[in-house]
Amino acid sequence: MPKKNKVKFNICNVHYALQTIGDNGDVSFGTPVPMPGAVSLSLDANGEPSNFYADGYAYYTISNNMGYEGDLELAMIPESFRTDVLKETLDTNNVLVENANVETANFALLFEFDGDVKKIRHVLYNCAASRPSIESQTNEDEIEVQTETLSVKATPLASGYVKAKTGDDTTEKTYADWYKAVYLPAAAAEAASDVSEQSTKSTAKAVKE
């Protein structure tokens, strides 16, 4: 039996992948892009179960999973994230310009935690990020690195999916390919495959008739 993680520590290998919603509502993601310099990630669960009372007791418990929200701290926010997600633009002099009339983009956030045996890889599917604060301070006796922080809010997709992470028995291929493309649950992939297969059969039948 393979060994299993007992503890986790350290955040690393942060990536983002732009989200696209098709005309039919299907969600897809671009190729994950690295965000080096991760310092910390702190996301709190958003939404708690609530009870419906009848007959003098909690008759039904209502699930209320609204995703997660919190902060991602980086050494510096990559320019690619500023242009792809925060929608800052580069002018003809390659100066980054922020425009209040432009909407930011949603994205998937991928990252991993070290474990005593194996890294644990995660993906949050439907993320939005707010503009970071502008701050720094003068040098004193020692130079202190000033980090940048993104406020991140991850909400459920229309399908209900919020996040996924690798487990003790995740297949080697899935684990190895985690940062090549955003992982989507197998059930959804199988359903799409079934629809495609049924469509192909219907088309073939129509041609024969």
Side-chain angles (χ1 to χ4, degrees):
M1 179 181 293
K3 292 183 178 180
K4 300 179 180 180
N5 285 322
K6 294 180 180 179
V7 296
K8 65 179 180 181
F9 50 91
N10 186 44
I11 180 174
C12 57
N13 234 353
V14 176
H15 289 63
Y16 71 90
L18 285 178
Q19 180 193 110
T20 301
I21 300 179
D23 294 336
N24 59 356
D26 288 345
V27 177
S28 59
F29 297 93
T31 302
V33 179
M35 294 181 72
V39 176
S40 68
L41 176 68
S42 177
L43 299 175
D44 295 324
N46 192 5
E48 297 180 355
S50 59
N51 293 326
F52 167 73
Y53 288 88
D55 293 336
Y57 69 99
Y59 192 77
Y60 180 70
T61 299
I62 303 169
S63 176
N64 189 26
N65 185 340
M66 298 303 293
Y68 298 84
E69 59 182 313
D71 296 327
L72 171 62
E73 183 182 5
L74 301 159
M76 283 191 68
I77 298 169
E79 187 173 294
S80 62
F81 187 89
R82 288 184 175 275
T83 56
D84 291 344
V85 176
L86 300 180
K87 294 303 180 181
E88 297 179 12
T89 56
L90 289 168
D91 68 7
T92 54
N93 296 310
N94 284 328
V95 173
L96 281 168
V97 180
E98 181 181 316
N99 188 330
N101 296 322
V102 177
E103 292 187 7
T104 58
N106 282 24
F107 59 98
L109 183 66
L110 301 88
F111 54 92
E112 63 187 41
F113 298 137
D114 286 335
D116 54 310
V117 175
K118 193 175 186 179
K119 294 178 184 292
I120 306 166
R121 295 179 168 172
H122 297 250
V123 57
L124 290 162
Y125 289 114
N126 189 31
C127 297
S130 63
R131 293 171 297 123
S133 300
I134 302 173
E135 57 183 336
S136 190
Q137 64 185 33
T138 188
N139 289 335
E140 296 180 356
D141 294 337
E142 297 179 357
I143 295 176
E144 183 177 346
V145 173
Q146 305 296 305
T147 59
E148 296 183 327
T149 301
L150 289 167
S151 292
V152 176
K153 188 167 186 176
T155 54
L157 292 171
S159 62
Y161 292 130
V162 177
K163 64 183 281 292
K165 72 171 185 175
T166 58
D168 294 330
D169 300 314
T170 297
T171 63
E172 286 299 323
K173 178 171 175 50
T174 298
Y175 187 87
D177 292 347
W178 197 257
Y179 297 106
K180 293 180 180 179
V182 173
Y183 176 81
L184 291 171
E190 289 169 4
S193 177
D194 290 342
V195 170
S196 177
E197 185 178 348
Q198 290 174 5
S199 176
T200 302
K201 288 181 179 177
S202 297
T203 302
K205 183 178 179 182
V207 170
K208 288 181 180 178
E209 293 175 349

